[in-house]
């Protein structure tokens, strides 16, 4: 490659979701609501599963980390996307682009394996209930979430080092609404084959290994449920898996759609819509799924709400008492 064709890139221009001016305001309003619901829902689940004494079980430990990763990767993408709806130039600095990609990659990769850990947790709970608290001890749970985080950090650092130590040629326009890996690779001058091979190998490993854990866990769960004599026992076992099954179906369904849909002239638009779904819509849906389908979470919400109201009432009474004493003197 001729050195004169190399360009020192200090910033990138994000194409965004659409360039139609009439759609900017409605889309901004819609995705602002989606993002705020996602933030409130996921932070609410994190706090609720931390403070409620009845939610200190392995299942809710993993749910807390699922909410943390949902909050993480949606926040890596959401705020910048919302800003780009209301500004004329969709510019992102070189360093911020690398930062955005780093955090998004770490959290999205971690979520894949945390979902697998949750499937394994349900398998142990249903197939080995007597050994559940032993097999899912505090130490075991921490290991099961630490491994995905550490692996995701390693994979992200490997990828980002390969991309951002390479040279970019000519155009600095990223054909996406955030700094995603494939649009960035298309701007590189050379060495893309090695990076693409790394991405292909690790993406295949991530999807196949995590999905294999989920499938094996649920096949064993199904066998165990079918062997149960009690209809009530079967229903209870199914109900404990319902929320997780819904979440993994939506999550993996979206990822597979992105990889297998036929390429056409509309591929870029379809990719953007799929990316929007798993970067913003799924993080909003997950807390709703676990809240609406789970009686323990709903009961915990009621208890926490009553506790907050009681505290506010006590504060109000103390304030009134202090005010009355002040006026009496």
């Amino acid at each position: 490659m001729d050195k004169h064709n190399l360009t020192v890139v200090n910033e990138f221009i994000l194409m965004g979701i659409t360039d139609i001016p009439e759609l900017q305001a409605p889309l901004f309003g819609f995705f602002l609501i989606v993002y705020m619901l996602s933030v409130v829902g996921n932070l609410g689940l994190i706090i609720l599963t931390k403070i409620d004494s009845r939610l200190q079980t392995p299942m809710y430990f993993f749910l807390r980390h699922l909410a943390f990763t949902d909050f993480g990767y949606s926040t890596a993408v959401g705020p910048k996307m919302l800003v780009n709806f209301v500004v004329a130039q969709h510019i992102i600095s070189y360093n911020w682009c690398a930062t955005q990609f780093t955090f998004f990659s770490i959290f999205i990769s971690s979520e894949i394996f945390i979902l697998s850990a949750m499937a394994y947790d349900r398998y142990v709970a249903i197939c080995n209930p007597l050994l559940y608290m032993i097999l899912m001890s505090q130490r075991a749970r921490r290991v099961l979430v630490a491994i995905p985080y550490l692996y995701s950090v390693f994979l992200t650092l490997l990828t980002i080092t390969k991309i951002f130590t390479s040279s970019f040629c000519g155009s600095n326009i990223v054909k996406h609404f955030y700094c995603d890996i494939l649009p960035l690779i298309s701007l590189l001058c050379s060495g893309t084959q090695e990076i693409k091979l790394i991405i292909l190998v690790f993406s295949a490993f991530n999807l196949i290994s995590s999905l294999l854990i989920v499938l094996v866990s649920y096949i064993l769960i199904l066998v165990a449920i079918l062997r149960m004599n009690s209809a009530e026992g079967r229903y209870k076992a199914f109900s404990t898996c319902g929320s997780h099954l819904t979440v993994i179906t939506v999550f993996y369904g979206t990822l597979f759609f992105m990889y297998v849909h036929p390429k056409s002239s509309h591929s870029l638009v379809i990719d953007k819509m799929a990316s929007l779904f798993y970067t913003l819509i799924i993080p909003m849906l997950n807390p709703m799924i676990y809240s609406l389908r789970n009686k323990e979470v709903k009961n915990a919400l009621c208890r926490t709400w009553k506790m907050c109201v009681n505290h506010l009432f006590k504060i109000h009474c103390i304030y009134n008492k202090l005010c009355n004493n002040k006026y009496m003197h």
Side-chain angles (χ1 to χ4, degrees), residues 152-223:
S152 299
V153 169
F154 161 75
L155 179 58
T156 300
L157 290 177
L158 174 65
T159 310
I160 201 169
T161 302
K162 289 288 184 182
I163 292 176
F164 286 91
T165 55
S166 301
S167 300
F168 291 90
C169 291
S171 176
N172 65 339
I173 298 174
V174 179
K175 295 180 179 179
H176 219 314
F177 59 90
Y178 68 99
C179 288
D180 198 11
I181 190 164
L182 293 180
L184 286 172
I185 289 174
S186 67
L187 304 180
L188 294 177
C189 299
S190 60
T192 59
Q193 291 303 317
E194 182 187 358
I195 300 173
K196 286 179 179 178
L197 181 61
I198 291 171
I199 294 167
L200 179 64
V201 170
F202 279 105
S203 296
F205 172 77
N206 293 349
L207 283 173
I208 293 171
S209 60
S210 61
L211 190 58
L212 193 62
I213 294 169
V214 171
L215 289 175
V216 170
S217 297
Y218 274 105
I219 288 170
L220 294 173
I221 288 170
L222 183 61
V223 171

Side-chain angles (χ1 to χ4, degrees), residues 14-32 81-88 90:
L14 299 172
M15 279 186 64
I17 297 172
T18 179
D19 56 358
I20 302 173
E22 292 79 9
L23 292 178
Q24 302 297 320
L27 286 175
F28 172 79
F30 174 73
F31 286 114
L32 178 63
M81 185 194 74
L82 290 170
V83 169
N84 285 344
F85 280 122
V86 295
V87 296
H90 303 168

